[in-house]
Amino acid sequence: MAISLDIRHDQSLRDLNTFGIDVKAATLLRVTSIDDLKAVCAAPTLNVIRRLVLGGGSNLLLLGDVDGLVLQMANLGIAVTGEDEQQVFVTAQAGENWHRFVQWTIDHGFPGLENLSLIPGSVGASPIQNIGAYGSEMADCFHSLRAFDFDSGEMLSLAKKDCGFGYRDSVFKHALRDRIAIVDVTFALPKRWQPNLRYAELATEMAARGIADPTAKDISDAVIAIRSRKLPDPAKIGNAGSFFKNPVVTAEQRNALLAKYPSLVSYAQADGSYKLAAGWLIDQCGWKGKSIGAAGVHEKQALVLVNRGGASGGEILKLAKAIRDDVYASFGVLLEPEPVLV
Ligand SMILES: Cc1cc2nc3c(=O)[nH]c(=O)nc-3n(C[C@H](O)[C@H](O)[C@H](O)COP(=O)(O)OP(=O)(O)OC[C@H]3O[C@@H](n4cnc5c(N)ncnc54)[C@H](O)[C@@H]3O)c2cc1C
């Protein structure tokens, strides 16, 4: 049976990326099923070389028009798909909004993802950079995913060990980049749940609220409150959250920097390395609140680059490069962008 695809041509992507960059897609397809993806693969006019799979557009910097096919993942559904003695398995379709999914799990009595409340974007994108916040990352509760492989036209199933999860990293940023569309993700949520208050700011917020024995909902509420205070709302000013990853350095490098800069902010990692606070490095170079053209550094968060109105992707990138060069010249540490440059 022929499938009718929801296709539009020459479409602005301005409202489909949180930076609000005004570029166009030659072809935009709303994907609501695996059959849509199979139809793309089978159609010679659609199975083009340039292809961009899009979720909520909250971790992208669009540098120009996409002269090909943009597939906007819009397949929906959340279901409990199994359990064993230790965990409940919940599967969400890629097009589900991440925060709404986290709230669904909490409301249905399946804790585990509460520290990741209010991260923008879709469920399907959550494995791409192994989203993380407040002492937790998606990989902690990840079980498996299914993806459509454009090369073979077949579905792939990937377990956690196949995904190469690291700090804001996965196989989807490397070997599988541009090759697959994640269709659904299954999470293993613990039956014997323990609150995770390792992140100092979260523990402080909980103490300030007078909550000694928090539920997952208490943690989610606290995370939402902290994030709403700290991070600019993309609906008000275009941004993609943290623009740079926190650089990871050896203990030697960190100790040398600490001797020179006693207020250096760093976090010890399990393997003996240290994560440096990229925001602190940028702030020390005097970039907070500065702008180049319509591209700016947020007044409160040096790590967040913003579109002050009508900035192009190239302008944001120019600002990012200037910051990267300054930080390198001052500290000898190279910052890497967190969003995907397209
Ligand atoms: C205000 C703000 C705060 C943020 N805070 C955090 C934070 O605390 N922690 C954090 O980790 N991130 C954070 N982010 C970044 C962002 O929210 C996450 O990276 C999120 O997972 C991106 O989801 P998305 O659907 O918007 O992806 P998009 O921006 O649409 O896509 C990002 C990448 O994933 C690919 N992709 C998207 N969907 C699929 C799919 N179904 N299959 C295959 N590839 C796909 C795209 O091709 C692209 O390469 C923040 C962003 C903003 C704007």
Side-chain angles (χ1 to χ4, degrees), residues 18 52-60 73 94 119-122 124-126 128-129 131-133 168 180-182 227 231-232 234 239-241 338 340:
T18 60
L52 171 66
V53 180
L54 187 67
S58 64
N59 208 27
L60 285 177
M73 298 305 288
I119 297 182
S122 60
S126 63
I128 305 289
Q129 73 157 4
I131 55 171
R168 301 294 181 273
I180 52 107
I182 293 172
R227 292 184 70 100
L231 288 168
N239 74 89
E338 193 181 294
V340 178

PDB file of all heavy atoms in Angstrom, residues 18 52-60 73 94 119-122 124-126 128-129 131-133 168 180-182 227 231-232 234 239-241 338 340, ligand 1:
ATOM      1  N   THR A  18      16.297  25.880  18.506  1.00  0.00           N
ATOM      2  CA  THR A  18      16.142  26.795  19.654  1.00  0.00           C
ATOM      3  C   THR A  18      17.078  28.009  19.572  1.00  0.00           C
ATOM      4  O   THR A  18      16.887  28.976  20.311  1.00  0.00           O
ATOM      5  CB  THR A  18      16.361  26.062  20.993  1.00  0.00           C
ATOM      6  OG1 THR A  18      17.689  25.514  20.999  1.00  0.00           O
ATOM      7  CG2 THR A  18      15.333  24.965  21.207  1.00  0.00           C
ATOM      8  N   LEU A  52      19.322  15.311   7.330  1.00  0.00           N
ATOM      9  CA  LEU A  52      19.444  15.724   8.736  1.00  0.00           C
ATOM     10  C   LEU A  52      18.242  15.203   9.501  1.00  0.00           C
ATOM     11  O   LEU A  52      17.098  15.536   9.177  1.00  0.00           O
ATOM     12  CB  LEU A  52      19.489  17.261   8.839  1.00  0.00           C
ATOM     13  CG  LEU A  52      19.392  17.821  10.264  1.00  0.00           C
ATOM     14  CD1 LEU A  52      20.614  17.451  11.094  1.00  0.00           C
ATOM     15  CD2 LEU A  52      19.220  19.340  10.242  1.00  0.00           C
ATOM     16  N   VAL A  53      18.521  14.395  10.535  1.00  0.00           N
ATOM     17  CA  VAL A  53      17.442  13.940  11.416  1.00  0.00           C
ATOM     18  C   VAL A  53      17.308  14.981  12.524  1.00  0.00           C
ATOM     19  O   VAL A  53      18.293  15.339  13.172  1.00  0.00           O
ATOM     20  CB  VAL A  53      17.751  12.541  12.000  1.00  0.00           C
ATOM     21  CG1 VAL A  53      16.611  12.094  12.908  1.00  0.00           C
ATOM     22  CG2 VAL A  53      17.977  11.529  10.889  1.00  0.00           C
ATOM     23  N   LEU A  54      16.094  15.462  12.703  1.00  0.00           N
ATOM     24  CA  LEU A  54      15.854  16.568  13.643  1.00  0.00           C
ATOM     25  C   LEU A  54      14.904  16.133  14.752  1.00  0.00           C
ATOM     26  O   LEU A  54      13.903  15.469  14.492  1.00  0.00           O
ATOM     27  CB  LEU A  54      15.224  17.727  12.850  1.00  0.00           C
ATOM     28  CG  LEU A  54      15.015  19.050  13.547  1.00  0.00           C
ATOM     29  CD1 LEU A  54      16.347  19.706  13.880  1.00  0.00           C
ATOM     30  CD2 LEU A  54      14.204  19.989  12.646  1.00  0.00           C
ATOM     31  N   GLY A  55      15.263  16.521  15.986  1.00  0.00           N
ATOM     32  CA  GLY A  55      14.335  16.323  17.103  1.00  0.00           C
ATOM     33  C   GLY A  55      13.736  17.681  17.430  1.00  0.00           C
ATOM     34  O   GLY A  55      13.059  18.294  16.603  1.00  0.00           O
ATOM     35  N   GLY A  56      14.084  18.189  18.625  1.00  0.00           N
ATOM     36  CA  GLY A  56      13.574  19.507  19.026  1.00  0.00           C
ATOM     37  C   GLY A  56      14.475  20.654  18.578  1.00  0.00           C
ATOM     38  O   GLY A  56      14.194  21.819  18.885  1.00  0.00           O
ATOM     39  N   GLY A  57      15.589  20.354  17.910  1.00  0.00           N
ATOM     40  CA  GLY A  57      16.493  21.406  17.435  1.00  0.00           C
ATOM     41  C   GLY A  57      17.172  22.176  18.556  1.00  0.00           C
ATOM     42  O   GLY A  57      17.584  23.323  18.365  1.00  0.00           O
ATOM     43  N   SER A  58      17.346  21.537  19.741  1.00  0.00           N
ATOM     44  CA  SER A  58      17.916  22.269  20.880  1.00  0.00           C
ATOM     45  C   SER A  58      19.398  21.989  21.095  1.00  0.00           C
ATOM     46  O   SER A  58      19.979  22.462  22.074  1.00  0.00           O
ATOM     47  CB  SER A  58      17.135  21.940  22.157  1.00  0.00           C
ATOM     48  OG  SER A  58      17.276  20.572  22.476  1.00  0.00           O
ATOM     49  N   ASN A  59      20.000  21.223  20.177  1.00  0.00           N
ATOM     50  CA  ASN A  59      21.441  20.983  20.318  1.00  0.00           C
ATOM     51  C   ASN A  59      22.133  21.058  18.963  1.00  0.00           C
ATOM     52  O   ASN A  59      23.004  20.249  18.638  1.00  0.00           O
ATOM     53  CB  ASN A  59      21.695  19.612  20.967  1.00  0.00           C
ATOM     54  CG  ASN A  59      22.997  19.610  21.726  1.00  0.00           C
ATOM     55  OD1 ASN A  59      23.455  20.652  22.197  1.00  0.00           O
ATOM     56  ND2 ASN A  59      23.626  18.463  21.838  1.00  0.00           N
ATOM     57  N   LEU A  60      21.715  22.052  18.199  1.00  0.00           N
ATOM     58  CA  LEU A  60      22.192  22.205  16.828  1.00  0.00           C
ATOM     59  C   LEU A  60      22.625  23.629  16.587  1.00  0.00           C
ATOM     60  O   LEU A  60      21.999  24.556  17.111  1.00  0.00           O
ATOM     61  CB  LEU A  60      21.013  22.030  15.868  1.00  0.00           C
ATOM     62  CG  LEU A  60      20.435  20.672  15.577  1.00  0.00           C
ATOM     63  CD1 LEU A  60      19.242  20.883  14.664  1.00  0.00           C
ATOM     64  CD2 LEU A  60      21.473  19.800  14.894  1.00  0.00           C
ATOM     65  N   MET A  73      11.506  14.118  13.532  1.00  0.00           N
ATOM     66  CA  MET A  73      10.953  12.930  14.189  1.00  0.00           C
ATOM     67  C   MET A  73       9.725  13.326  15.013  1.00  0.00           C
ATOM     68  O   MET A  73       9.811  14.150  15.916  1.00  0.00           O
ATOM     69  CB  MET A  73      12.015  12.275  15.078  1.00  0.00           C
ATOM     70  CG  MET A  73      13.243  11.777  14.328  1.00  0.00           C
ATOM     71  SD  MET A  73      12.885  10.641  12.981  1.00  0.00           S
ATOM     72  CE  MET A  73      12.415   9.167  13.876  1.00  0.00           C
ATOM     73  N   ALA A  94      10.726   8.132  19.580  1.00  0.00           N
ATOM     74  CA  ALA A  94      11.733   9.189  19.434  1.00  0.00           C
ATOM     75  C   ALA A  94      11.148  10.599  19.478  1.00  0.00           C
ATOM     76  O   ALA A  94      11.776  11.529  19.982  1.00  0.00           O
ATOM     77  CB  ALA A  94      12.487   8.999  18.121  1.00  0.00           C
ATOM     78  N   ILE A 119      15.321  19.143  30.632  1.00  0.00           N
ATOM     79  CA  ILE A 119      16.263  19.251  29.502  1.00  0.00           C
ATOM     80  C   ILE A 119      15.406  19.328  28.235  1.00  0.00           C
ATOM     81  O   ILE A 119      14.522  18.497  28.032  1.00  0.00           O
ATOM     82  CB  ILE A 119      17.229  18.044  29.449  1.00  0.00           C
ATOM     83  CG1 ILE A 119      18.103  18.022  30.711  1.00  0.00           C
ATOM     84  CG2 ILE A 119      18.103  18.108  28.188  1.00  0.00           C
ATOM     85  CD1 ILE A 119      19.131  16.900  30.749  1.00  0.00           C
ATOM     86  N   PRO A 120      15.634  20.341  27.396  1.00  0.00           N
ATOM     87  CA  PRO A 120      14.818  20.450  26.180  1.00  0.00           C
ATOM     88  C   PRO A 120      15.096  19.299  25.204  1.00  0.00           C
ATOM     89  O   PRO A 120      16.076  18.579  25.353  1.00  0.00           O
ATOM     90  CB  PRO A 120      15.277  21.776  25.557  1.00  0.00           C
ATOM     91  CG  PRO A 120      16.006  22.499  26.620  1.00  0.00           C
ATOM     92  CD  PRO A 120      16.590  21.444  27.518  1.00  0.00           C
ATOM     93  N   GLY A 121      14.230  19.174  24.202  1.00  0.00           N
ATOM     94  CA  GLY A 121      14.499  18.216  23.129  1.00  0.00           C
ATOM     95  C   GLY A 121      13.661  16.956  23.228  1.00  0.00           C
ATOM     96  O   GLY A 121      12.742  16.857  24.035  1.00  0.00           O
ATOM     97  N   SER A 122      14.040  15.998  22.401  1.00  0.00           N
ATOM     98  CA  SER A 122      13.233  14.797  22.204  1.00  0.00           C
ATOM     99  C   SER A 122      13.882  13.578  22.863  1.00  0.00           C
ATOM    100  O   SER A 122      15.089  13.565  23.126  1.00  0.00           O
ATOM    101  CB  SER A 122      13.112  14.545  20.705  1.00  0.00           C
ATOM    102  OG  SER A 122      14.405  14.354  20.158  1.00  0.00           O
ATOM    103  N   GLY A 124      14.319  10.794  21.272  1.00  0.00           N
ATOM    104  CA  GLY A 124      15.187  10.186  20.253  1.00  0.00           C
ATOM    105  C   GLY A 124      16.580  10.772  20.225  1.00  0.00           C
ATOM    106  O   GLY A 124      17.545  10.101  19.842  1.00  0.00           O
ATOM    107  N   ALA A 125      16.716  12.028  20.629  1.00  0.00           N
ATOM    108  CA  ALA A 125      18.040  12.660  20.629  1.00  0.00           C
ATOM    109  C   ALA A 125      18.799  12.401  21.930  1.00  0.00           C
ATOM    110  O   ALA A 125      20.003  12.638  21.985  1.00  0.00           O
ATOM    111  CB  ALA A 125      17.907  14.166  20.415  1.00  0.00           C
ATOM    112  N   SER A 126      18.105  11.919  22.957  1.00  0.00           N
ATOM    113  CA  SER A 126      18.768  11.822  24.275  1.00  0.00           C
ATOM    114  C   SER A 126      20.013  10.929  24.260  1.00  0.00           C
ATOM    115  O   SER A 126      20.981  11.229  24.970  1.00  0.00           O
ATOM    116  CB  SER A 126      17.772  11.384  25.360  1.00  0.00           C
ATOM    117  OG  SER A 126      17.271  10.092  25.106  1.00  0.00           O
ATOM    118  N   ILE A 128      22.105  10.658  21.752  1.00  0.00           N
ATOM    119  CA  ILE A 128      23.131  11.185  20.837  1.00  0.00           C
ATOM    120  C   ILE A 128      24.309  11.747  21.632  1.00  0.00           C
ATOM    121  O   ILE A 128      25.458  11.384  21.401  1.00  0.00           O
ATOM    122  CB  ILE A 128      22.553  12.275  19.896  1.00  0.00           C
ATOM    123  CG1 ILE A 128      21.329  11.761  19.134  1.00  0.00           C
ATOM    124  CG2 ILE A 128      23.635  12.823  18.944  1.00  0.00           C
ATOM    125  CD1 ILE A 128      21.595  10.744  18.079  1.00  0.00           C
ATOM    126  N   GLN A 129      24.010  12.640  22.586  1.00  0.00           N
ATOM    127  CA  GLN A 129      25.135  13.145  23.381  1.00  0.00           C
ATOM    128  C   GLN A 129      25.044  12.630  24.823  1.00  0.00           C
ATOM    129  O   GLN A 129      25.666  13.176  25.711  1.00  0.00           O
ATOM    130  CB  GLN A 129      25.208  14.669  23.326  1.00  0.00           C
ATOM    131  CG  GLN A 129      24.169  15.428  24.088  1.00  0.00           C
ATOM    132  CD  GLN A 129      24.647  16.834  24.434  1.00  0.00           C
ATOM    133  OE1 GLN A 129      25.721  17.258  24.040  1.00  0.00           O
ATOM    134  NE2 GLN A 129      23.848  17.565  25.192  1.00  0.00           N
ATOM    135  N   ILE A 131      22.650  12.734  27.211  1.00  0.00           N
ATOM    136  CA  ILE A 131      22.341  13.960  27.967  1.00  0.00           C
ATOM    137  C   ILE A 131      22.590  13.759  29.464  1.00  0.00           C
ATOM    138  O   ILE A 131      22.389  12.670  29.998  1.00  0.00           O
ATOM    139  CB  ILE A 131      20.891  14.451  27.727  1.00  0.00           C
ATOM    140  CG1 ILE A 131      19.864  13.360  28.019  1.00  0.00           C
ATOM    141  CG2 ILE A 131      20.740  14.994  26.325  1.00  0.00           C
ATOM    142  CD1 ILE A 131      18.426  13.879  27.992  1.00  0.00           C
ATOM    143  N   GLY A 132      23.027  14.812  30.101  1.00  0.00           N
ATOM    144  CA  GLY A 132      23.353  14.711  31.511  1.00  0.00           C
ATOM    145  C   GLY A 132      23.131  16.025  32.228  1.00  0.00           C
ATOM    146  O   GLY A 132      23.173  17.094  31.609  1.00  0.00           O
ATOM    147  N   ALA A 133      22.849  15.929  33.515  1.00  0.00           N
ATOM    148  CA  ALA A 133      22.696  17.122  34.346  1.00  0.00           C
ATOM    149  C   ALA A 133      22.546  16.693  35.802  1.00  0.00           C
ATOM    150  O   ALA A 133      22.062  15.596  36.080  1.00  0.00           O
ATOM    151  CB  ALA A 133      21.455  17.917  33.926  1.00  0.00           C
ATOM    152  N   ARG A 168      28.897  13.374  27.226  1.00  0.00           N
ATOM    153  CA  ARG A 168      28.270  14.053  26.075  1.00  0.00           C
ATOM    154  C   ARG A 168      28.709  13.420  24.749  1.00  0.00           C
ATOM    155  O   ARG A 168      29.002  14.117  23.779  1.00  0.00           O
ATOM    156  CB  ARG A 168      28.625  15.557  26.059  1.00  0.00           C
ATOM    157  CG  ARG A 168      28.226  16.315  27.276  1.00  0.00           C
ATOM    158  CD  ARG A 168      26.706  16.400  27.442  1.00  0.00           C
ATOM    159  NE  ARG A 168      26.403  17.180  28.625  1.00  0.00           N
ATOM    160  CZ  ARG A 168      26.323  16.656  29.850  1.00  0.00           C
ATOM    161  NH1 ARG A 168      26.467  15.344  30.022  1.00  0.00           N
ATOM    162  NH2 ARG A 168      26.066  17.407  30.881  1.00  0.00           N
ATOM    163  N   ILE A 180      21.760   6.839  10.749  1.00  0.00           N
ATOM    164  CA  ILE A 180      20.563   6.222  11.331  1.00  0.00           C
ATOM    165  C   ILE A 180      19.575   7.274  11.841  1.00  0.00           C
ATOM    166  O   ILE A 180      19.949   8.426  12.066  1.00  0.00           O
ATOM    167  CB  ILE A 180      20.929   5.302  12.524  1.00  0.00           C
ATOM    168  CG1 ILE A 180      21.805   6.064  13.546  1.00  0.00           C
ATOM    169  CG2 ILE A 180      21.653   4.048  12.080  1.00  0.00           C
ATOM    170  CD1 ILE A 180      21.145   6.424  14.791  1.00  0.00           C
ATOM    171  N   ALA A 181      18.329   6.822  12.013  1.00  0.00           N
ATOM    172  CA  ALA A 181      17.350   7.625  12.772  1.00  0.00           C
ATOM    173  C   ALA A 181      16.912   6.759  13.944  1.00  0.00           C
ATOM    174  O   ALA A 181      16.432   5.633  13.736  1.00  0.00           O
ATOM    175  CB  ALA A 181      16.149   7.975  11.899  1.00  0.00           C
ATOM    176  N   ILE A 182      17.103   7.254  15.144  1.00  0.00           N
ATOM    177  CA  ILE A 182      16.644   6.515  16.329  1.00  0.00           C
ATOM    178  C   ILE A 182      15.116   6.591  16.345  1.00  0.00           C
ATOM    179  O   ILE A 182      14.535   7.678  16.205  1.00  0.00           O
ATOM    180  CB  ILE A 182      17.263   7.107  17.610  1.00  0.00           C
ATOM    181  CG1 ILE A 182      18.776   6.855  17.600  1.00  0.00           C
ATOM    182  CG2 ILE A 182      16.605   6.511  18.864  1.00  0.00           C
ATOM    183  CD1 ILE A 182      19.553   7.542  18.700  1.00  0.00           C
ATOM    184  N   ARG A 227      17.006  25.010  37.374  1.00  0.00           N
ATOM    185  CA  ARG A 227      17.228  25.260  35.947  1.00  0.00           C
ATOM    186  C   ARG A 227      16.508  26.524  35.497  1.00  0.00           C
ATOM    187  O   ARG A 227      17.042  27.295  34.705  1.00  0.00           O
ATOM    188  CB  ARG A 227      16.759  24.062  35.112  1.00  0.00           C
ATOM    189  CG  ARG A 227      17.595  22.812  35.300  1.00  0.00           C
ATOM    190  CD  ARG A 227      17.125  21.714  34.360  1.00  0.00           C
ATOM    191  NE  ARG A 227      17.455  22.049  33.005  1.00  0.00           N
ATOM    192  CZ  ARG A 227      18.496  21.566  32.324  1.00  0.00           C
ATOM    193  NH1 ARG A 227      19.297  20.703  32.880  1.00  0.00           N
ATOM    194  NH2 ARG A 227      18.727  21.944  31.093  1.00  0.00           N
ATOM    195  N   LEU A 231      19.045  29.079  33.714  1.00  0.00           N
ATOM    196  CA  LEU A 231      19.234  28.978  32.256  1.00  0.00           C
ATOM    197  C   LEU A 231      18.255  29.848  31.492  1.00  0.00           C
ATOM    198  O   LEU A 231      17.073  29.911  31.843  1.00  0.00           O
ATOM    199  CB  LEU A 231      19.065  27.515  31.816  1.00  0.00           C
ATOM    200  CG  LEU A 231      20.199  26.588  32.227  1.00  0.00           C
ATOM    201  CD1 LEU A 231      19.805  25.136  32.017  1.00  0.00           C
ATOM    202  CD2 LEU A 231      21.467  26.900  31.450  1.00  0.00           C
ATOM    203  N   PRO A 232      18.722  30.519  30.443  1.00  0.00           N
ATOM    204  CA  PRO A 232      17.808  31.330  29.641  1.00  0.00           C
ATOM    205  C   PRO A 232      16.807  30.451  28.890  1.00  0.00           C
ATOM    206  O   PRO A 232      17.169  29.375  28.404  1.00  0.00           O
ATOM    207  CB  PRO A 232      18.737  32.053  28.665  1.00  0.00           C
ATOM    208  CG  PRO A 232      19.989  31.251  28.626  1.00  0.00           C
ATOM    209  CD  PRO A 232      20.105  30.547  29.942  1.00  0.00           C
ATOM    210  N   PRO A 234      14.802  29.369  25.845  1.00  0.00           N
ATOM    211  CA  PRO A 234      14.931  29.565  24.391  1.00  0.00           C
ATOM    212  C   PRO A 234      13.701  30.234  23.765  1.00  0.00           C
ATOM    213  O   PRO A 234      13.815  30.832  22.692  1.00  0.00           O
ATOM    214  CB  PRO A 234      15.105  28.153  23.836  1.00  0.00           C
ATOM    215  CG  PRO A 234      15.494  27.307  24.984  1.00  0.00           C
ATOM    216  CD  PRO A 234      14.947  27.949  26.223  1.00  0.00           C
ATOM    217  N   ASN A 239      19.015  30.061  22.116  1.00  0.00           N
ATOM    218  CA  ASN A 239      20.253  29.461  22.635  1.00  0.00           C
ATOM    219  C   ASN A 239      20.135  27.947  22.547  1.00  0.00           C
ATOM    220  O   ASN A 239      19.056  27.409  22.296  1.00  0.00           O
ATOM    221  CB  ASN A 239      20.515  29.915  24.082  1.00  0.00           C
ATOM    222  CG  ASN A 239      19.607  29.252  25.102  1.00  0.00           C
ATOM    223  OD1 ASN A 239      19.926  28.201  25.620  1.00  0.00           O
ATOM    224  ND2 ASN A 239      18.445  29.845  25.373  1.00  0.00           N
ATOM    225  N   ALA A 240      21.257  27.261  22.758  1.00  0.00           N
ATOM    226  CA  ALA A 240      21.248  25.790  22.735  1.00  0.00           C
ATOM    227  C   ALA A 240      21.816  25.247  24.045  1.00  0.00           C
ATOM    228  O   ALA A 240      22.492  24.223  24.067  1.00  0.00           O
ATOM    229  CB  ALA A 240      22.034  25.268  21.541  1.00  0.00           C
ATOM    230  N   GLY A 241      21.561  25.954  25.159  1.00  0.00           N
ATOM    231  CA  GLY A 241      22.129  25.523  26.443  1.00  0.00           C
ATOM    232  C   GLY A 241      23.639  25.742  26.422  1.00  0.00           C
ATOM    233  O   GLY A 241      24.148  26.671  25.780  1.00  0.00           O
ATOM    234  N   GLU A 338      29.527  21.764  22.214  1.00  0.00           N
ATOM    235  CA  GLU A 338      28.611  20.674  22.571  1.00  0.00           C
ATOM    236  C   GLU A 338      27.550  20.460  21.480  1.00  0.00           C
ATOM    237  O   GLU A 338      27.277  19.320  21.099  1.00  0.00           O
ATOM    238  CB  GLU A 338      27.955  20.994  23.915  1.00  0.00           C
ATOM    239  CG  GLU A 338      27.250  19.811  24.514  1.00  0.00           C
ATOM    240  CD  GLU A 338      26.585  20.120  25.836  1.00  0.00           C
ATOM    241  OE1 GLU A 338      27.289  20.404  26.821  1.00  0.00           O
ATOM    242  OE2 GLU A 338      25.347  20.089  25.878  1.00  0.00           O
ATOM    243  N   VAL A 340      25.747  20.089  17.825  1.00  0.00           N
ATOM    244  CA  VAL A 340      26.192  19.552  16.543  1.00  0.00           C
ATOM    245  C   VAL A 340      26.168  20.693  15.523  1.00  0.00           C
ATOM    246  O   VAL A 340      25.181  21.411  15.404  1.00  0.00           O
ATOM    247  CB  VAL A 340      25.238  18.415  16.098  1.00  0.00           C
ATOM    248  CG1 VAL A 340      25.651  17.863  14.743  1.00  0.00           C
ATOM    249  CG2 VAL A 340      25.211  17.310  17.154  1.00  0.00           C
TER     250      VAL A 340
HETATM  251  C1  LIG B   1      18.201  25.801  27.519  1.00  0.00           C
HETATM  252  C2  LIG B   1      18.890  24.492  27.190  1.00  0.00           C
HETATM  253  C3  LIG B   1      19.379  23.684  28.198  1.00  0.00           C
HETATM  254  C4  LIG B   1      20.007  22.481  27.924  1.00  0.00           C
HETATM  255  N1  LIG B   1      20.477  21.718  28.956  1.00  0.00           N
HETATM  256  C5  LIG B   1      21.072  20.530  28.715  1.00  0.00           C
HETATM  257  C6  LIG B   1      21.568  19.735  29.792  1.00  0.00           C
HETATM  258  O1  LIG B   1      21.406  20.061  30.960  1.00  0.00           O
HETATM  259  N2  LIG B   1      22.182  18.573  29.487  1.00  0.00           N
HETATM  260  C7  LIG B   1      22.340  18.141  28.200  1.00  0.00           C
HETATM  261  O2  LIG B   1      22.910  17.067  28.009  1.00  0.00           O
HETATM  262  N3  LIG B   1      21.890  18.877  27.166  1.00  0.00           N
HETATM  263  C8  LIG B   1      21.261  20.056  27.382  1.00  0.00           C
HETATM  264  N4  LIG B   1      20.808  20.818  26.338  1.00  0.00           N
HETATM  265  C9  LIG B   1      21.020  20.345  24.957  1.00  0.00           C
HETATM  266  C10 LIG B   1      19.804  19.582  24.361  1.00  0.00           C
HETATM  267  O3  LIG B   1      18.640  19.860  25.077  1.00  0.00           O
HETATM  268  C11 LIG B   1      20.015  18.069  24.352  1.00  0.00           C
HETATM  269  O4  LIG B   1      21.209  17.735  23.705  1.00  0.00           O
HETATM  270  C12 LIG B   1      18.866  17.324  23.662  1.00  0.00           C
HETATM  271  O5  LIG B   1      19.019  15.936  23.799  1.00  0.00           O
HETATM  272  C13 LIG B   1      18.734  17.664  22.183  1.00  0.00           C
HETATM  273  O6  LIG B   1      17.518  17.105  21.748  1.00  0.00           O
HETATM  274  P1  LIG B   1      16.821  17.582  20.426  1.00  0.00           P
HETATM  275  O7  LIG B   1      15.681  16.668  20.172  1.00  0.00           O
HETATM  276  O8  LIG B   1      16.523  19.014  20.482  1.00  0.00           O
HETATM  277  O9  LIG B   1      17.971  17.282  19.362  1.00  0.00           O
HETATM  278  P2  LIG B   1      18.322  18.108  18.049  1.00  0.00           P
HETATM  279  O10 LIG B   1      18.926  19.410  18.418  1.00  0.00           O
HETATM  280  O11 LIG B   1      17.152  18.130  17.130  1.00  0.00           O
HETATM  281  O12 LIG B   1      19.451  17.187  17.422  1.00  0.00           O
HETATM  282  C14 LIG B   1      20.716  17.072  18.050  1.00  0.00           C
HETATM  283  C15 LIG B   1      21.513  15.987  17.312  1.00  0.00           C
HETATM  284  O13 LIG B   1      20.845  14.740  17.441  1.00  0.00           O
HETATM  285  C16 LIG B   1      20.474  14.205  16.153  1.00  0.00           C
HETATM  286  N5  LIG B   1      19.160  13.585  16.330  1.00  0.00           N
HETATM  287  C17 LIG B   1      18.042  14.147  16.886  1.00  0.00           C
HETATM  288  N6  LIG B   1      17.061  13.233  16.949  1.00  0.00           N
HETATM  289  C18 LIG B   1      17.553  12.091  16.406  1.00  0.00           C
HETATM  290  C19 LIG B   1      17.007  10.788  16.156  1.00  0.00           C
HETATM  291  N7  LIG B   1      15.766  10.458  16.503  1.00  0.00           N
HETATM  292  N8  LIG B   1      17.803   9.875  15.569  1.00  0.00           N
HETATM  293  C20 LIG B   1      19.070  10.164  15.199  1.00  0.00           C
HETATM  294  N9  LIG B   1      19.644  11.365  15.412  1.00  0.00           N
HETATM  295  C21 LIG B   1      18.883  12.315  16.002  1.00  0.00           C
HETATM  296  C22 LIG B   1      20.469  15.402  15.224  1.00  0.00           C
HETATM  297  O14 LIG B   1      20.693  15.000  13.887  1.00  0.00           O
HETATM  298  C23 LIG B   1      21.609  16.218  15.813  1.00  0.00           C
HETATM  299  O15 LIG B   1      22.825  15.686  15.357  1.00  0.00           O
HETATM  300  C24 LIG B   1      20.150  22.039  26.582  1.00  0.00           C
HETATM  301  C25 LIG B   1      19.639  22.844  25.538  1.00  0.00           C
HETATM  302  C26 LIG B   1      19.006  24.041  25.850  1.00  0.00           C
HETATM  303  C27 LIG B   1      18.432  24.871  24.728  1.00  0.00           C
END
